[in-house]
Amino acid sequence: MATKKITITLPEEALEQVRELARKAGLPLSTWIAQKLEHEARIQAGLEAMREWQEEHGAFTEEELVQAREELAKADAELRAARAPITPGKVA
């Protein structure tokens, strides 16, 4: 992926916070910020797709919302399990 260097202005307090978050994640600041921006872009694209779907098919039913919440909870649990640190001698 091509990259481009840019300049941004942040409040000092926010910069301190994101530097610490990037450090805890073991990532360079620019990588951490890029990941967060990509994540937000995916969320916004998903929300737009949902709006378009509802414009064409009508509002989601309560059953569809319950199913979506269940699927999201399952996906979240799988992601947490995949990201969990491996402890030697510990059985999952």
Side-chain angles (χ1 to χ4, degrees), residues 62-90:
E62 187 59 36
E63 293 80 19
E64 290 170 327
L65 292 172
V66 167
Q67 182 181 2
R69 287 185 190 105
E70 289 171 355
E71 290 178 23
L72 287 171
K74 181 181 174 188
D76 285 344
E78 290 172 357
L79 182 59
R80 279 192 301 278
R83 289 183 175 170
I86 299 172
T87 305
K90 183 178 178 185

Side-chain angles (χ1 to χ4, degrees), residues 9-90:
T9 303
L10 299 172
E12 286 184 28
E13 214 172 85
L15 179 56
E16 302 266 337
Q17 290 174 333
V18 296
R19 279 186 173 149
E20 180 63 14
L21 292 168
R23 185 193 65 74
K24 286 181 179 178
L27 297 170
L29 179 59
S30 59
T31 302
W32 187 88
I33 290 172
Q35 287 180 355
K36 299 309 169 202
L37 292 172
E38 290 168 0
H39 178 76
E40 181 63 23
R42 285 192 304 274
I43 289 171
Q44 294 304 317
L47 291 171
E48 180 59 27
M50 288 173 48
R51 281 189 289 274
E52 290 174 5
W53 191 93
Q54 288 189 51
E55 284 177 11
E56 186 175 332
H57 302 284
F60 293 112
T61 65
E62 187 59 36
E63 293 80 19
E64 290 170 327
L65 292 172
V66 167
Q67 182 181 2
R69 287 185 190 105
E70 289 171 355
E71 290 178 23
L72 287 171
K74 181 181 174 188
D76 285 344
E78 290 172 357
L79 182 59
R80 279 192 301 278
R83 289 183 175 170
I86 299 172
T87 305
K90 183 178 178 185

